[in-house]
C-alpha cells in the first residue's frame, strides 16, 4: 500500500521508530474494518528511522494525544487521492483518563473510580502534572 | 462561577491584598462582621485530626455569626465505610454553604471542589498544599513588617515535606525584592518542582544552605518548621535529623533587631521556649492572624460583602 493508493484516509507520519505499534493499539486500529498498514523503521531524512501508520478511511483522531506521544508526528488527511490537510498536533492542555498518577500519596491512589487528569504546565518541555497532587507525569506507554 | 481555594496560586496578588485588607478591617472593627454569615453553615470535613486548624476555621465562622457542622477524624465519618470523597462532598453540599477539608491524601479537596457547587477550602492535603496557613503567614508578615515586598525570607527545617514552606515560596515570590534563604539538612531540601518551576522559572534569588547561624544576620523573616516524625519511613533518620535545626537564643545573637520569627505550630522543640518572650517571636500572634484571615476568606468565597 502506498499513499497514492489511499483514496480517503489518513497517514500518520514521523512516528518515533518503535512506537507505531503502541499508537496502533491506542487508536484501536485493530477494530477497524478497512485496510490498515503499519510501516516500521522506514528511513527518515530528519530522524533516521520512523514508523508510519496508514489507514484507508478518514477516522476521527485525537490529534492532541498524538502530540503528547511525540511532537514531530504529522497527520496527513487524504481525500480523493489527494492530501487535503497536514496537521501538526499540538500538546493538549489536559489529558484525561490516559496517563496514570504514580504518587502513592495522591488521592487517585486510593479512589479507584477517580479519573486521572493531567494538565500541561510547561509547553516548551512538554511537562504534564497531575491536577490533584502536581506530580510530574513520567513518560509512560499509553496502552 | 463558584470559587474555591485549593492552592495558594489560585489567588492573584490582588486577591491576597484584598483578603489582607479585609482581615485588617475585621481586626479594627470585629463587631461590624459579627452577623455577616448569619444562617450560613461551614462544614469542616477533617479526615485526619488537626485540632488547631479546625478550631481556627470554626472560631472564624462563629465570629462571623455563622454555624459549623462536620467531623474531625476519618473513622467517625462515612469515609470509614468507604465512601468516596466526591460522594461525601456532594452530600455535605446539601447541608452546608461552604466546606473546609483536611485529608491525608494529596488532591482530595480538589476532588471535592470538582464534585460540588459550593466553595471548598483546602485545609491541608497531605504534604501537598495548605493555602490558609500561607494566608495566615502573609497576614502575619504584613502586620509585623508593614509590607510584603523587599524581604529576605529564611525558611528553616524540613523543606522537603514542609508544605507550608512550598506554599509560602509560591505566594511570596510574586512580590518584588523578595529573596529566599533555604536552610535545611541535605536530606530535607526543597523539592525539585519548587526549585525549577517557581524559583528558577521566575528568576527569584535564592540560596540553599545547611548553616542557620551563618545566614541569620541577613534575614528579615525566619520561618521555622517542624521535622515531622510521620514524614519519615525510618526512625533512625528522624532521630538523627530532628535536632539539627533548633532555634536557641544564642543563635539569635547576630539576628536583626526587627527579625520576625514565624512557625506554623505546633512546635516540638525546634524553637526553644526561652525565645517565646523575645518580641521577635511572632508565632502566637500568627495563630490569631489565622482566624482573621480565615474570616476574610470565608466572606470572599461566600460572596458576602
Ligand atoms: Zn496525583
Amino acid at each position: 500500500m502506498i499513499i497514492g493508493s489511499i483514496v480517503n484516509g489518513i497517514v500518520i507520519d514521523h512516528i518515533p521508530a518503535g512506537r507505531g505499534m503502541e499508537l496502533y493499539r491506542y487508536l484501536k486500529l485493530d477494530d477497524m474494518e478497512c485496510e490498515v498498514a503499519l510501516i516500521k523503521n522506514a528511513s527518515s531524512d530528519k530522524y533516521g528511522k520512523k514508523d508510519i501508520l496508514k489507514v484507508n478511511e478518514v477516522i476521527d483522531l485525537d490529534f492532541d494525544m498524538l502530540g503528547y506521544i511525540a511532537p514531530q508526528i504529522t497527520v496527513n488527511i487524504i481525500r480523493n487521492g489527494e492530501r487535503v490537510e497536514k496537521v501538526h498536533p499540538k500538546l493538549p492542555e489536559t489529558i484525561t483518563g490516559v496517563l496514570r498518577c504514580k504518587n502513592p500519596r495522591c488521592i487517585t491512589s486510593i479512589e479507584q473510580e477517580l479519573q486521572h487528569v493531567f494538565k500541561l504546565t510547561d509547553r516548551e518541555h512538554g511537562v504534564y502534572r497531575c491536577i490533584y497532587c502536581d506530580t510530574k507525569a513520567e513518560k509512560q506507554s499509553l496502552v | 462561577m463558584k470559587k474555591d481555594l485549593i492552592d495558594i496560586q489560585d489567588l492573584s496578588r490582588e486577591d491576597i491584598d484584598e483578603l489582607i485588607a479585609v482581615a485588617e478591617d475585621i481586626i479594627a472593627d470585629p463587631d461590624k462582621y459579627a452577623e455577616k454569615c448569619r444562617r450560613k453553615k461551614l462544614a469542616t470535613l477533617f479526615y485526619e485530626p488537626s485540632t488547631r486548624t479546625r478550631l481556627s476555621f470554626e472560631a472564624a465562622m462563629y465570629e462571623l455569626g455563622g454555624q459549623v457542622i462536620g467531623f474531625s477524624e476519618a473513622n467517625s465519618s462515612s469515609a470509614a465505610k468507604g465512601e468516596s470523597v466526591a460522594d461525601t462532598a456532594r452530600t455535605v453540599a446539601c447541608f452546608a454553604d461552604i466546606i473546609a477539608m483536611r485529608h491525608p491524601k494529596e488532591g482530595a479537596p480538589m476532588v471535592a471542589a470538582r464534585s460540588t457547587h459550593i466553595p471548598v477550602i483546602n485545609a491541608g492535603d497531605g504534604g501537598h498544599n495548605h493555602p490558609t496557613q500561607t494566608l495566615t503567614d502573609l497576614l502575619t508578615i504584613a502586620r509585623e513588617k508593614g509590607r510584603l515586598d523587599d524581604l529576605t525570607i529564611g525558611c528553616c527545617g524540613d523543606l522537603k515535606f514542609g508544605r507550608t514552606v512550598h506554599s509560602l515560596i509560591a505566594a511570596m515570590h510574586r512580590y518584588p525584592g523578595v529573596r529566599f534563604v533555604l536552610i535545611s539538612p541535605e536530606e530535607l531540601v526543597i523539592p525539585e518542582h519548587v526549585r525549577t518551576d517557581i524559583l528558577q522559572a521566575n528568576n527569584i534569588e535564592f540560596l540553599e544552605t545547611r548553616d542557620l547561624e551563618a545566614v541569620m544576620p541577613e534575614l528579615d523573616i525566619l520561618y521555622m518548621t517542624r521535622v515531622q516524625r510521620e514524614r519519615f519511613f525510618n526512625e533512625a533518620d528522624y532521630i538523627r535529623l530532628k535536632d539539627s535545626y533548633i532555634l536557641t537564643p544564642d543563635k539569635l545573637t547576630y539576628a536583626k533587631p526587627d527579625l520576625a520569627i514565624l512557625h506554623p505550630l505546633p512546635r516540638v522543640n525546634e524553637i526553644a521556649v526561652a525565645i517565646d518572650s523575645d518580641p521577635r517571636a511572632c508565632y502566637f500572634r500568627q495563630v490569631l492572624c489565622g482566624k482573621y484571615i480565615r474570616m476574610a476568606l470565608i466572606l470572599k468565597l461566600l460572596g458576602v460583602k
Side-chain angles (χ1 to χ4, degrees), chain B residues 243-267:
Chain B
D243 293 339
S244 312
Y245 296 86
I246 290 178
L247 187 61
T248 47
D250 58 297
K251 290 202 181 98
L252 284 176
T253 310
Y254 299 105
K256 287 186 181 175
D258 64 344
L259 171 72
I261 304 166
L262 277 70
H263 188 296
L265 300 184
R267 73 172 151 186

Side-chain angles (χ1 to χ4, degrees), chain B:
Chain B
M1 210 179 84
K2 69 131 174 172
K3 292 184 199 135
D4 305 293
L5 178 58
I6 301 303
D7 183 326
I8 192 68
Q9 297 194 82
D10 297 345
L11 298 174
S12 66
R13 255 190 74 178
E14 292 68 34
D15 291 328
I16 288 173
D17 293 345
E18 181 199 321
L19 285 169
I20 289 176
V22 171
E24 294 277 15
D25 196 53
I26 295 170
I27 294 167
D29 186 4
D31 288 350
K32 198 167 99 189
Y33 293 87
E35 295 287 323
K36 290 278 187 191
C37 286
R38 207 164 67 86
R39 301 180 65 90
K40 301 271 189 202
K41 283 198 245 9
L42 165 74
T44 49
L45 309 184
F46 276 52
Y47 289 81
E48 65 179 2
S50 174
T51 308
R52 183 179 313 271
T53 304
R54 187 170 53 83
L55 294 184
S56 181
F57 270 108
E58 296 186 358
M61 194 56 173
Y62 284 126
E63 289 203 20
L64 291 167
Q67 292 159 308
V68 178
I69 56 174
F71 54 82
S72 58
E73 52 181 326
N75 59 18
S76 66
S77 76
S78 47
K81 299 183 195 118
E83 187 178 55
S84 70
V85 167
D87 284 3
T88 302
R90 281 188 203 108
T91 306
V92 168
C94 300
F95 307 136
D97 302 283
I98 183 166
I99 290 173
M101 179 181 285
R102 174 97 163 197
H103 199 289
K105 289 289 180 184
E106 300 176 10
M110 165 80 97
V111 174
R114 286 164 64 93
S115 317
T116 60
H117 62 280
I118 68 171
V120 175
I121 301 171
N122 181 356
D125 58 337
H128 187 219
N129 284 317
H130 192 3
T132 60
Q133 178 65 52
T134 310
L135 289 174
T136 300
D137 301 339
L138 296 179
L139 177 60
T140 309
I141 293 170
R143 284 181 67 76
E144 296 290 335
K145 307 301 293 185
R147 64 180 194 276
L148 288 172
D149 53 4
D150 287 316
L151 293 167
T152 295
I153 302 174
C155 301
C156 179
D158 177 358
L159 308 187
K160 183 177 181 186
F161 299 109
R163 62 179 167 203
T164 56
V165 169
H166 309 162
S167 300
L168 185 69
I169 293 171
M172 289 296 298
H173 86 268
R174 298 185 287 198
Y175 292 87
V178 167
R179 60 187 286 267
F180 295 95
V181 179
L182 306 168
I183 310 138
S184 75
E186 193 85 56
E187 291 85 346
L188 296 175
V189 297
I190 52 159
E192 160 272 339
H193 69 91
V194 177
R195 192 179 297 113
T196 58
D197 294 8
I198 300 176
L199 294 169
Q200 289 169 353
N202 295 289
N203 278 317
I204 309 299
E205 192 185 334
F206 71 101
L207 168 74
E208 297 191 80
T209 177
R210 313 279 156 259
D211 190 347
L212 173 59
E213 272 184 279
V215 296
M216 189 67 86
E218 302 173 33
L219 307 181
D220 298 306
I221 307 287
L222 174 56
Y223 195 95
M224 295 294 298
T225 61
R226 180 158 58 110
V227 174
Q228 292 183 80
R229 186 187 297 264
E230 61 265 32
R231 302 290 178 220
F232 283 84
F233 292 111
N234 158 342
E235 187 74 8
D237 282 350
Y238 170 71
I239 302 284
R240 185 170 54 82
L241 290 171
K242 77 179 169 74
D243 293 339
S244 312
Y245 296 86
I246 290 178
L247 187 61
T248 47
D250 58 297
K251 290 202 181 98
L252 284 176
T253 310
Y254 299 105
K256 287 186 181 175
D258 64 344
L259 171 72
I261 304 166
L262 277 70
H263 188 296
L265 300 184
R267 73 172 151 186
V268 178
N269 61 348
E270 57 277 16
I271 300 179
V273 174
I275 288 176
D276 295 358
S277 55
D278 190 305
R280 291 172 288 190
C282 306
Y283 29 93
F284 293 110
R285 298 195 288 279
Q286 194 178 351
V287 177
L288 196 55
C289 285
K291 183 186 71 181
Y292 290 121
I293 202 74
R294 287 182 177 97
M295 290 171 74
L297 178 65
I298 290 167
L299 291 172
K300 182 183 171 71
L301 295 184
L302 286 177
V304 176
K305 288 282 170 227

Side-chain angles (χ1 to χ4, degrees), chain A residues 101-103 106-108 118 130-135, chain B residues 106:
Chain A
C101 181
K102 305 278 179 68
N103 174 9
C106 181
I107 185 67
T108 56
F118 283 78
C130 172
I131 63 160
Y132 300 110
C133 69
D134 294 305
T135 297
Chain B
E106 300 176 10

Side-chain angles (χ1 to χ4, degrees), chain A residues 31-98:
Chain A
D31 302 339
M32 300 286 299
E33 298 280 331
C34 69
E35 274 180 66
V36 177
L38 165 61
I39 299 161
K40 286 179 61 169
N41 301 322
S43 63
S44 158
D45 295 340
K46 252 195 226 165
Y47 305 106
K49 279 180 176 177
K50 63 178 182 181
D51 289 0
I52 306 170
L53 273 168
K54 297 183 179 186
V55 184
N56 207 0
E57 194 178 304
V58 179
I59 55 169
D60 241 350
L61 269 188
D62 183 356
F63 289 125
D64 291 348
M65 275 315 293
L66 301 181
Y68 175 76
I69 293 164
Q72 73 263 31
I73 288 178
T74 55
V75 181
N76 302 285
I77 315 273
I78 316 291
R79 284 187 200 276
N80 300 320
E82 303 218 354
R83 185 171 82 191
V84 293
E85 212 184 331
K86 182 173 183 173
V87 183
H88 293 272
K90 280 201 327 235
L91 288 174
E93 284 299 327
T94 57
I95 297 178
T96 301
V98 179

